[in-house]
Amino acid sequence: MMTPSEVGKVSVIQSENRTLNFSEIFAASCRIRDHVVRTPLLESPVLNERLGGRILVKPEMLQKTGSFKFRGACNRILQLTPGERRGGVVAWSSGNHALAISAVCALLDIPAHIIMPESAPQMKIEGARRYGAKVRLYDRATENREEIGAQIADSEGAVIVPPYDDFNVMAGQGTVGLEIMEQCRELGVMPDNVLSSASGGGLVAGIATAVRTCRPETSIYSVEPAGFDDLARSLASGHRVENAGGMNTLCDSLMVPTPGALTFPTNHALLADGLVVNDAEIRVGMANCFEHFKLVAEPGGAAPLAAILSGKLDVRGKVTVAVLSGGNVDPSVYSSIL
């Protein structure tokens, strides 16, 4: 009999060539509806006038656990069998996925094992522990989080729930895009552009699938920090590429080495382009989130607004949606950035 980690590897190999489909997102929306927050679309007349277009922000920092990650975690874990629930869940994350998995497992009384880098924001580490998860810290430079997770899964009989390379996780994140389209219809507008930050690419893949199924002419853009623009470069080359080592960024949640094996086919098929912002531009984005919307955005969460403010995309005369993916930032870091 194969171990849980071996089963997971086979599943990835079999799934690499397929893309996410809209029916999975719709099913996820029905499944998680009673557990998630339907975050609003907000706009600032001052910002609209300044930029010459209509800018709508989707504040996922108002989601449970402070980020969009709760959606995907909820959709995946709700589908565990009774036997799988007894074995528990293993997940690795720099923070937001960790918080989401921990919270959903606490809600359903399921054991949670979380692998987090030692450099993760302290509030995220403490948050996972408050939900009752067993947190294993690791050194990014000398240890491999996937290997640690596989060892725990094998010893505990637990199910691995990856942060993005899982179609159920991607479908849960795609409910953000479904809500965007519903809310735009309620406002009497249709989006010309939708921007989402990208780490492994699960959120932007889900959004792109939902939005472009409803309105194929809408352009979807990923946004990444400089030095971690693997998705932008992969989109340009047509295949997955890796980031160079030794780089750093304020965006602790956007530091993966390469796009997800399962997320990339969807993103390659549906995204218009990948945009890149530097740390100085991200600071401006965070400050503007606070100034115009009174929202606390973590660095990675503010990246889409940072791309708009820095002129990476022409938004004049258009309706543009910026997904603010999360707000889990240590107070000392946030205050120093502002």
Side-chain angles (χ1 to χ4, degrees), residues 90 115 136 138 143-153:
V90 177
I115 300 101
R136 159 63 155 93
Y138 75 98
E143 295 182 286
N144 181 287
R145 63 185 188 176
E146 287 87 352
E147 291 177 0
I148 297 169
Q151 291 168 4
I152 295 173

Side-chain angles (χ1 to χ4, degrees), residues 23-98:
S23 63
E24 294 172 285
I25 297 172
F26 184 79
S29 177
C30 296
R31 187 176 296 116
I32 69 177
R33 181 178 295 145
D34 294 336
H35 300 283
V36 300
V37 175
R38 187 180 190 255
T39 55
L41 282 184
L42 306 175
E43 64 182 314
S44 162
V46 173
L47 197 59
N48 287 348
E49 183 177 356
R50 171 179 159 191
L51 295 171
R54 192 168 185 182
I55 310 301
L56 304 171
V57 301
K58 179 77 165 161
E60 281 293 294
M61 66 276 291
L62 304 181
Q63 187 55 255
K64 291 180 180 177
T65 69
S67 87
F68 73 97
K69 290 285 190 178
F70 188 85
R71 297 173 183 266
C74 191
N75 188 49
R76 179 65 185 92
I77 293 173
L78 283 173
Q79 297 181 74
L80 295 179
T81 67
E84 289 172 333
R85 291 188 180 200
R86 286 192 293 272
V89 169
V90 177
W92 47 81
S93 164
S94 64
N96 286 333
H97 184 59

Side-chain angles (χ1 to χ4, degrees), residues 220-243:
I220 314 295
Y221 297 89
S222 61
V223 185
E224 299 169 288
F228 295 88
D229 56 342
D230 47 285
L231 180 53
R233 292 184 293 110
S234 296
L235 292 172
S237 67
H239 63 272
R240 296 163 65 220
V241 301
E242 292 190 7
N243 294 316

Side-chain angles (χ1 to χ4, degrees), residues 38-39 41 58 179-187:
R38 187 180 190 255
T39 55
L41 282 184
K58 179 77 165 161
E179 288 180 14
I180 287 171
M181 297 309 293
E182 291 170 351
Q183 291 165 323
C184 281
R185 281 194 294 270
E186 291 165 5
L187 292 171

Side-chain angles (χ1 to χ4, degrees), residues 247-272:
M247 302 297 290
N248 208 348
T249 175
L250 285 172
C251 303
D252 62 277
S253 61
L254 307 181
M255 296 176 68
V256 301
T258 189
L262 303 191
T263 63
F264 183 66
T266 297
N267 286 324
H268 186 238
L270 297 179
L271 266 57

